[in-house]
Amino acid sequence: MAFVLAFDWKVFLTIFASVFIAELGDKTQLATMLFATDKDVSKWMVFASASCALVVASAFGVLAGTFLSGYINEKILAYIAGGSFIVIGLYTIYSA
């Protein structure tokens, strides 16, 4: 489990754009907007809390991906992830 500290803008921007687009309009963003509507709560507190939660969730994702990549081929993981997104999407459409 080696972490390389090299910075690659292409990889950074690809991951940033993918996650940013995936997060737009999802339950996390809607929950954050709901918290921000509370007049008694600092908007900076909402931003800081939501940001920290996303950082920790992303860290779990990186750790899980790193662990799984030691046991499962990267291509198989991509198929599993893609299939999971399709199943979740079909379930969402079916239950709508």
Side-chain angles (χ1 to χ4, degrees), residues 54-94:
L54 290 172
V55 167
V56 171
S58 296
F60 282 141
V62 170
L63 291 173
T66 301
F67 174 77
L68 290 173
S69 69
Y71 298 98
I72 303 173
N73 181 294
E74 180 181 337
K75 193 166 192 104
I76 301 296
L77 284 173
Y79 286 134
I80 292 170
S84 297
F85 277 119
I86 291 170
V87 169
I88 291 168
L90 291 173
Y91 175 76
T92 302
I93 290 170
Y94 174 76

Side-chain angles (χ1 to χ4, degrees), residues 27-43:
K27 292 179 285 188
T28 305
Q29 188 178 36
L30 295 174
T32 303
M33 287 190 299
L34 179 63
F35 287 122
T37 62
D38 188 340
K39 291 180 175 53
D40 296 329
V41 176
S42 164
K43 305 316 172 218

